[in-house]
Amino acid sequence: MKVCAVIAEYNPFHLGHAYHLQQARLLTDADYIIVVMSGNFVQRGDPALVDKYARAKSALSCGADLVLELPSCFATGSAEYFARGAIAMLDHLGMVDFLCFGSECSDIQFLSQFADIFLQEPEPYKKILLEKLKLGYSYPTARSNALIIAYPQLAADISVISSPNNILGIEYIKALHRRRSLIHPVNLRRIGSDYRDKRLGTFQSSARALRQAIHSGRSIEELCSQMPEKTYQILTEYFEREKPLFQDDFSTLLHYKLLSEQAKGYTEYLDISPDLSDKIRKYVYQYTTFSEFCDLLKSKDMTYTRISRCLLHILLNITKDNMQFYIDNQDSVSYARLLGFREDAKPLLAAIAAHASIPLITKMADADKLLTLGGHHMFQQEVQITDIYSSIQAAKSGHKMYHEYTRPMIIV
């Protein structure tokens, strides 16, 4: 049995994602494709446009055989945390042969060179990096400067680490090397629109362009050419009962959280420095919306996306101590939550049950008896995070809130 894994957000699922799944199977000759997917909140610090169940169903209908949920503490983290959590989960399954990811750079060995530098942090790279950070450079800028000075032979190719997909690819390889994993990375050159492109194209527009179009009022019918037919059908049915969610739908909830904790500050939360905490406290009375507050707080060394992630960590109660505990004591993740699978992938489920070193959660009610104390804490935090998403979803769409324990697994 050959198994290939894909790490994704599918926010929303589109033609490029279907192409990736198809090529992953072809490139690796895989019998099965496992997807580790972000839940209801994603790495840019946003809520997912549609919930994790609809996105999992799209993936299963368009090439995936099984979809696992990446816990939000990793899904909303930096590229390093995102990769570290997803790779740990896949490694614990004990039977994944390949990881296939898309990036602008098609040379896996070249990406591996950067990954090893970032993992080992040799001198003088580390010394220069720390010097640049002390001077107030943002981390990406400081890292680029340190690479150019310490490794001048890489200067001509330094743009490689400015692409989000390349950065994630490097972090995947770095996480594999850190774990001495036997999973073999496979690189697929990205085609279609750039990840950051907000414009709708005629072929394979970015997920960001699709989100922007829906946010501006474009109907799902107008976007049908940008997604597989099955995804179009799934989203059409979804939007008949649910409204899409955006960052500003959580504005009031975030403002309440910021006001209620203003006195003590926010340094307990992941990625929040004392300086950023002080800045949030200073400007909290100028708060209008989630997005406008991100604009107000951003600076040359703190991008909008990083600010957005930080604020989301406050909203979702994702703390530094919890993350450190998960990494130090739980080897990053201590369970794999199954969101859905294809009927003909039952042999894959049996193989995971036989080889995995962490519990596979197929029924919510089984979590209490299967999980360690740390795993139970992560699991219950994820339930709470899903409840936060569901409460806003219910209020915006005009129905009662869904409870996570009542949601059926997706079977295609």
Side-chain angles (χ1 to χ4, degrees):
M1 179 186 293
K2 285 186 182 179
V3 178
C4 180
V6 168
I7 303 168
E9 291 184 329
Y10 298 150
N11 186 35
F13 194 95
H14 57 64
L15 290 173
H17 297 135
Y19 174 80
H20 181 195
L21 291 174
Q22 177 191 53
Q23 292 300 306
R25 195 180 296 272
L26 290 173
L27 287 171
T28 62
D29 193 29
D31 298 298
Y32 296 105
I33 301 288
I34 293 176
V35 171
V36 174
M37 188 188 77
S38 301
N40 286 329
F41 293 91
V42 297
Q43 205 212 1
R44 285 183 56 81
D46 289 340
L49 184 77
V50 300
D51 69 32
K52 57 190 176 185
Y53 298 101
R55 286 159 38 237
K57 188 174 183 180
S58 289
L60 293 168
S61 300
C62 299
D65 295 295
L66 184 147
V67 179
L68 302 172
E69 180 181 12
L70 180 63
S72 294
C73 55
F74 295 104
T76 65
S78 65
E80 180 178 12
Y81 281 133
F82 183 91
R84 191 166 182 169
I87 294 298
M89 183 181 292
L90 291 170
D91 209 31
H92 278 306
L93 297 183
M95 36 84 68
V96 175
D97 301 294
F98 303 98
L99 170 71
C100 184
F101 61 88
S103 65
E104 287 75 15
C105 176
S106 58
D107 188 341
I108 196 81
Q109 295 305 318
F110 191 59
L111 295 179
S112 295
Q113 184 179 2
F114 285 100
D116 286 336
I117 293 171
F118 296 157
L119 177 61
Q120 297 165 13
E121 292 193 327
E123 297 288 352
Y125 166 79
K126 185 176 181 179
K127 180 181 177 182
I128 300 168
L129 176 65
L130 292 175
E131 288 174 353
K132 297 297 181 182
L133 289 172
K134 287 180 181 178
L135 290 172
Y137 287 72
S138 68
Y139 186 81
T141 302
R143 185 168 65 176
S144 294
N145 275 262
L147 280 170
I148 291 171
I149 297 171
Y151 300 93
Q153 69 273 22
L154 297 177
D157 300 299
I158 203 67
S159 61
V160 166
I161 62 169
S162 66
S163 162
N165 293 292
N166 285 341
I167 291 170
L168 269 178
I170 290 168
E171 289 296 339
Y172 293 148
I173 297 169
K174 180 176 141 187
L176 289 170
H177 288 185
R178 175 187 281 117
R179 298 183 63 84
R180 295 181 174 84
S181 175
L182 297 178
I183 299 173
H184 181 69
V186 177
N187 194 15
L188 176 66
R189 189 173 183 86
R190 195 178 187 280
I191 63 173
S193 298
D194 184 85
Y195 169 87
R196 294 162 290 195
D197 196 341
K198 297 181 180 179
R199 300 168 300 174
L200 283 176
T202 57
F203 177 67
Q204 292 194 13
S205 295
S206 70
R208 186 175 186 180
L210 295 178
R211 292 193 301 272
Q212 185 73 19
I214 293 171
H215 188 265
S216 64
R218 300 282 290 273
S219 69
I220 192 67
E221 289 82 4
E222 295 176 84
L223 306 177
C224 65
S225 64
Q226 303 293 331
M227 59 189 70
E229 183 178 350
K230 290 180 180 177
T231 295
Y232 170 69
Q233 293 171 352
I234 290 167
L235 291 186
T236 298
E237 293 175 5
Y238 182 89
F239 288 140
E240 287 176 355
R241 64 180 187 277
E242 308 290 352
K243 302 289 187 183
L245 294 190
F246 302 98
Q247 188 177 61
D248 284 345
D249 291 320
F250 293 78
S251 293
T252 301
L253 200 58
L254 174 63
H255 197 200
Y256 167 77
K257 191 75 159 48
L258 295 177
L259 289 170
S260 65
E261 300 189 12
Q262 183 190 20
K264 68 174 184 176
Y266 314 98
T267 54
E268 68 180 292
Y269 296 104
L270 186 64
D271 291 336
I272 306 281
S273 67
D275 286 346
L276 179 57
S277 176
D278 289 343
K279 194 172 183 180
I280 294 171
R281 294 175 71 191
K282 177 180 178 181
Y283 289 107
V284 71
Y285 291 110
Q286 296 182 37
Y287 184 104
T288 51
T289 65
F290 197 140
S291 61
E292 289 183 4
F293 201 52
C294 290
D295 276 325
L296 182 64
L297 296 175
K298 72 179 181 181
S299 61
K300 67 176 183 178
D301 62 335
M302 291 283 283
T303 64
Y304 181 104
T305 297
R306 187 176 172 192
I307 293 291
S308 182
R309 275 202 301 267
C310 289
L311 294 177
L312 189 62
H313 293 156
I314 296 172
L315 176 63
L316 302 181
N317 292 313
I318 297 174
T319 67
K320 295 172 183 174
D321 286 347
N322 282 342
M323 180 62 88
Q324 198 61 51
F325 177 77
Y326 297 148
I327 290 174
D328 290 346
N329 300 288
Q330 302 297 319
D331 197 17
S332 297
V333 294
S334 52
Y335 68 88
R337 163 83 192 286
L338 181 62
L339 289 177
F341 66 97
R342 293 185 61 85
E343 281 278 12
D344 54 9
K346 288 182 178 178
L348 175 61
L349 280 173
I352 292 174
H355 293 91
S357 58
I358 55 175
L360 179 67
I361 306 299
T362 58
K363 295 180 181 179
M364 297 289 289
D366 291 342
D368 285 346
K369 61 185 179 185
L370 293 175
L371 298 179
T372 62
L373 179 63
H376 186 265
H377 183 278
M378 181 185 285
F379 184 80
Q380 288 303 320
Q381 183 181 48
E382 198 60 40
V383 171
Q384 183 182 58
I385 288 171
T386 299
D387 284 346
I388 291 171
Y389 183 95
S390 296
S391 68
I392 301 300
Q393 182 185 51
K396 187 173 183 180
S397 301
H399 58 66
K400 291 183 178 179
M401 176 180 155
Y402 302 121
H403 192 283
E404 181 75 332
Y405 278 75
T406 67
R407 300 299 295 270
M409 187 187 306
I410 303 298
I411 302 176
V412 174

